[in-house]
Amino acid sequence: MLLRRNILVPALLSAVVMFLVSWLWHGVALTDLDEIRIPMGLYFSLAGLVYLILGFGMTFAVHTAVMYEWISLKRAFPLASMLLGAALGFVVYLVIFVLGMSFTRGGMVHVVADVIWQMVEQGMGGLMVSVGIIYDMHKRFIESERA
């Protein structure tokens, strides 16, 4: 089931985009990655695994929302997927915050910046899930027209 294009493409697309956006934010913009105490290869491997899990989870969430008609494919589907991703980003940040695994050292301003960033990052992942689903629907249409 996971090897079907309608699952695999959106999940991988969102995982790759979220991983790259995270690396740009933490590695290039903030240079937080310089302060990590574990080997960089291990960090990137674990981060890649986490983003794959998030990508598949977000793909499952968007497919479920479409199935139960919480999200319409006809009206602002990419925006709705992005908002769903942002909501999942908030939940992910709450888990990270409770477990104490944040890059944040400062006060409440840093916490607010981190939660907003997490929601933006996961929102981009939700947008990529919608792009992957739209791509799959387009490919299915083209394949059915050829048949």
Side-chain angles (χ1 to χ4, degrees):
M1 168 139 173
L2 288 178
L3 296 179
R4 291 187 358 211
R5 185 176 59 211
N6 67 334
I7 302 292
L8 196 60
V9 170
L12 291 178
L13 185 61
S14 69
V16 167
V17 167
M18 288 186 295
F19 183 83
L20 290 175
V21 168
S22 175
W23 175 76
L24 285 173
W25 178 253
H26 291 292
V28 176
L30 297 180
T31 65
D32 285 337
L33 297 181
D34 295 339
E35 301 171 12
I36 292 181
R37 294 183 199 110
I38 62 173
M40 204 55 73
L42 178 62
Y43 170 77
F44 282 123
S45 298
L46 292 174
L49 178 65
V50 167
Y51 281 112
L52 276 174
I53 292 168
L54 285 173
F56 277 104
M58 201 170 304
T59 301
F60 174 75
V62 170
H63 276 283
T64 302
V66 168
M67 182 176 66
Y68 286 110
E69 297 178 358
W70 300 329
I71 294 178
S72 171
L73 291 173
K74 297 177 183 177
R75 242 178 322 169
F77 175 58
L79 178 63
S81 297
M82 196 160 85
L83 291 174
L84 181 63
L88 263 59
F90 182 73
V91 171
V92 166
Y93 186 78
L94 288 179
V95 171
I96 290 170
F97 187 73
V98 167
L99 295 177
M101 297 186 304
S102 177
F103 284 114
T104 304
R105 289 172 305 287
M108 197 57 157
V109 172
H110 293 284
V111 170
V112 170
D114 269 358
V115 74
I116 289 172
W117 172 251
Q118 190 72 30
M119 291 173 70
V120 167
E121 181 182 293
Q122 306 303 314
M124 291 180 78
L127 179 65
M128 291 301 109
V129 168
S130 71
V131 168
I133 291 172
I134 291 169
Y135 168 78
D136 177 60
M137 290 181 349
H138 176 72
K139 289 292 275 188
R140 284 179 192 232
F141 175 76
I142 296 296
E143 290 167 357
S144 69
E145 288 293 312
R146 287 187 190 150

